[in-house]
Amino acid sequence: CTVGRKYRPRVRGGVLLFLIHHSLCYKIVDVSQIFPIDSPVEVQAISVIIENNPTTLVNVYVPPASSCPPGFSFDIAPLLTFLDDGDSLILGDFNAHHESWFSSLHDVRGDSISSSLDSSHFVPLNSDSPTRLPSSGPSSSPDISLASAHLSPSFSWSTSTTLNSDHLPILITILDSVPHIRPQRSFVNFRLAKWSDFRDECESLF
């Protein structure tokens, strides 16, 4: 496997990580301009080929509000706008809660993300299953999986309890080939026009 790492520059420990199978063609996507350089948000992205179609995979970590600078408010809209023209999956721990992705909790950050999703072409893949099971307190879903809307029916989403972690591993599987819908185009071939009939029709109008 090939490993892509992005370390958090402001705190000890923690890393964003892509493990990429050696048979998969990919390239790094520069997403450094999306969030300010002093933002606590960590993000990295790659582009892979799925069924001959470029698809961007984005890995995101947003610290909980208690670990962010005073006055910080996360806005996902710039990321959604950046990815607006292509097929994408946005995956990560957003530390945000909203019923849109079946979280039992609710917070302001969740409201903000849900509102931005309403005006985008991205939809949550989460099913009614928590992504975090803390040792104490209620289960919740701070981890969100988003997909371009027309791609979402092609994926299944589930969690697993095989690792000793309060955050559950999320498994996203391609169910079938991603359909490629070509836009219909109309053409006019004047060589096939029946000009004599057209002329007779015009003369009959006068």
Side-chain angles (χ1 to χ4, degrees), residues 98-162:
H98 195 273
E99 55 269 19
S100 295
W101 46 92
F102 299 97
S103 183
S104 62
L105 304 178
H106 191 106
D107 56 26
V108 173
R109 185 182 293 177
D111 284 338
S112 174
I113 293 175
S114 179
S115 177
S116 295
L117 291 177
D118 287 342
S119 57
S120 77
H121 74 281
F122 284 91
V123 296
L125 294 176
N126 296 52
S127 62
D128 193 1
S129 175
T131 66
R132 183 171 183 262
L133 298 176
S135 57
S136 61
S139 60
S140 61
S141 294
D143 309 290
I144 314 173
S145 305
L146 304 172
S148 301
H150 77 280
L151 290 181
S152 59
S154 301
F155 298 104
S156 70
W157 185 98
S158 62
T159 58
S160 174
T161 56
T162 56

Side-chain angles (χ1 to χ4, degrees), residues 57-79:
L57 306 181
V58 184
N59 189 5
V60 183
Y61 174 72
V62 187
S66 59
S67 299
C68 293
F72 170 78
S73 178
F74 174 69
D75 183 8
I76 197 175
L79 179 59

